[in-house]
Amino acid sequence: MKAIDIKLWRDLRRLRAQMVTIAVVVAIGVAGFVGMFSVHESLKASRDAFYRDNRLADVFANVKRAPVVLRDRLATIDGVAEVKLDVVFDAQVDVPDIDAPVTGRFVGLDLARVHAGGQGLNALTLKQGRWPEVGRELEALVSDRFATARGLKPGDRVHAILNGSRQTVLVAGTAVTPEYVFATRGGAPDDEVFGIWWIDAERMTQAFDMQGAFNQVALRLDAGVPVQRVIDAVDRLLEPYGAIGAVGRDRQLSAKIVADELAQMKVMGTVLPSIFLAVAMFILNVVLSRQVATQRPQIAALKALGYGDGMIAWHYIQLAVVIAGLGVVAGLALSVWIGKLMLGLYAEVFRFERLDYVTEPWLVGVSTAIAAAAATLGAWTAIHAVVRLKPAQAMQPPAPPAYQPTLIERLGFGHRVSAGALMVIRNFERRPLRAAFTVTGISLAVALQISGAFWLDAIGHIVDVQFRQVQQGDVLVDFHQPVPVTVARDLRRLPGVLDAEPYRYEPVRVHARGGSDDALAAGYVPDARLLRVIDEQRGPLPVPEHGVMVTALLARALGIERGDTVTLEFRLWNRTRVDVQVVDVVHAMFGKQVFMALPTMNRLARDGDGVADAALQVDPNRMPEFWAAVKAAPTINAVFDKASSMASFNETTSRNMGVFSAILTLFAVAMAVGITYNAARIALSERAWELASLRVLGMTRAEVSVLLLAELGAELLLALPIGAAAGWALATLLMKLMASDNIDFPVVIEPSTYAVAALTVLAAGAASALLVRRQVDRLDLVAVLKVRE
């Protein structure tokens, strides 16, 4: 073994404590990158296989009512390979032992084709039980997620109000389908209040008077066919029948939610690990800079023995690569734990048929290459100047720094500062770059913890705005057919109802400045109280008597400003087109929406004064009576119970975000320890002679420890406000990278989140200080005070 190789192993052994802390930071970066991307790739592969095996359609369209004879015309559209027509309606479902009714989406299922061994597009996969049979009793398959959330199993019976008729439904089994990976009516998915029910198609058409008609179509396209061209053709064909616009798979509600989740995971797997690897490179640079500075005589000796600049440089790069290699090995092992933990959480959300954790070889290769490159760069920036020295130059000690009075001393305040504080200030001023690096690293640790914890604050804000400010009512009800606005009087007669307000939602297309976009028009009663328009900056806003308000998302998409005139194209019923003035732009979190007064909306739509929805305020002490009355009301098609939805939403998000936040907190603590420990160890090695001299002069161990660690304490205190600002900036960056065209979340970080992040990093710094303090106590004064002549 060459002498230089022996030196490598000795250096590794001597630097083992610092090596471990650096390797831990590298491991976290590698684990985050490999783990998150492995989960992303595993979910993506499972999704693609699920979509392929169950033949998810490429184009989807909803229509009010269209004749089935259109099937042939749809099939003749250039590029269409397969057509599937469905009858789909939402209905109220009474599940035993549950007070509040839930909403079910009933879908017709061609049982004859199923029993013959084929299903066509958007096929179901049976999870439990059996396929329904055609017979006297109405049997159904239930979406697996809803059945699990509500404890339904094959053999159970529920009651459903189908087009005003109360019917008993037998649960034959549970199933999953790519069309409803996430089942939602348009808001956040909630498996406790909304599920999919597949029943015999013939019974479905009879129940809803849809003989010879359909209201939903799915198309499979030939490979390579432009999707937009087919969408345009479908819209032209279905427009006379109340179509609200066909969409490609990328905009189909469930598929879009899945795609957004995967995109967000990809962002998290890229941004956060990059920070850890950058910090690891910085620590390596600082450690190796100190290592090279103390080994100038050894470098000179190696040069004198014939070792070239390249070999010496490679020696130190090897040192860095070995440390990074240990981090990569540990990171790959940690990534499996992180990946399987995250995949377990996602498995409860994505009910794909198969979901296996797989680490792709390219992820291992890329993470290893990135870690090696970071280590090499960190090492080279530390050694490139020293290894070029001639042997005679390297034999000489480095030129002492040119010290000068500090700024405080030059201003004449030096005598007012204690000697210990003045020593700390001098070290800051004489090594500003190193202090800046340390402060930056600690700040990033604070920022990382904030970026992991702020999601809970954001979710709390969403719940507050959407469930407490926008929707102040307790229950939303939906009617199967439009009813007169006077329905509010009838609803107030229900047991426990304190107030009722009708409202109306209609799909519209907004035309402005030569462009157009789909939106949802909302008509509220004047002075609405139970369902309000909330601006993130200004609070509640009254709906205007004339003109409309648009959300900022819609305004940005079309370049709309206050005072502009836009054209509203109503997509249902009379399909009127009207010009209206925009009187305000509302900063709302969700959706592209248009708000107006309910009388204004009915006048513009020219289809009567009917409404299909209402918001209710109910006495909480009379909820059981109220739910019993709702279950007996044949005209109520669907219900939304705010209390149960809030509880379900909080439970799911708190669990998932809590795990994610805990992982990032552990990572931030590890990074803070790695940075502060290495900074303190380097300071100790540089100031050992100074500290030993002070000990000989009579200072105690505690006093010299304070002199050493006060600098670290000052760096920690400086890093906290910078880290808070960096945490806000990182959270803002993450939200922008994960934003979609229908979501505009503000960055909300509570003071408690900043405080917890600061205290966590301070605790990590204190732990590092205690470890270094032990090294101070063990200083060999005689050995340290020996100086090179």
Side-chain angles (χ1 to χ4, degrees), residues 28-29 31-32 276 334 337-338 448 662-672:
I28 292 171
F276 283 101
L334 183 60
W337 175 76
I338 293 174
L448 280 169
I663 291 174
L664 270 187
T665 298
L666 290 175
F667 285 1
V669 168
M671 189 169 85

Side-chain angles (χ1 to χ4, degrees), residues 565-610:
T565 297
V566 300
T567 300
L568 294 186
E569 178 188 351
F570 288 86
R571 310 303 301 277
L572 295 177
W573 309 107
N574 289 341
R575 305 180 65 82
T576 57
R577 289 172 64 103
V578 293
D579 293 334
V580 294
Q581 185 180 34
V582 176
V583 298
D584 205 351
V585 175
V586 181
H587 293 85
M589 288 187 294
F590 293 101
K592 297 174 180 176
Q593 298 185 68
V594 179
F595 301 105
M596 65 189 84
L598 180 58
T600 301
M601 185 171 178
N602 287 335
R603 174 173 55 82
L604 295 177
R606 301 173 192 168
D607 53 13
D609 294 331

Side-chain angles (χ1 to χ4, degrees), residues 25 101 178 210 221 223 275 300 401 439 469 529 560 562 635 753 762 765:
V25 178
M210 291 289 287
L221 307 185
I275 295 175
V439 169
Q469 297 185 46
R529 189 179 64 85
I560 300 172
R562 182 183 301 178
T635 58
T753 300
L762 284 175

Side-chain angles (χ1 to χ4, degrees), residues 27-38:
I28 292 171
V30 171
F33 174 76
V34 176
M36 294 298 287
F37 266 87
S38 292

Side-chain angles (χ1 to χ4, degrees), residues 189-207:
D190 189 344
D191 298 315
E192 292 195 0
V193 300
F194 184 69
I196 312 301
W197 299 71
W198 292 272
I199 64 175
D200 177 28
E202 187 175 346
R203 296 281 293 271
M204 183 76 183
T205 56
Q206 292 173 357

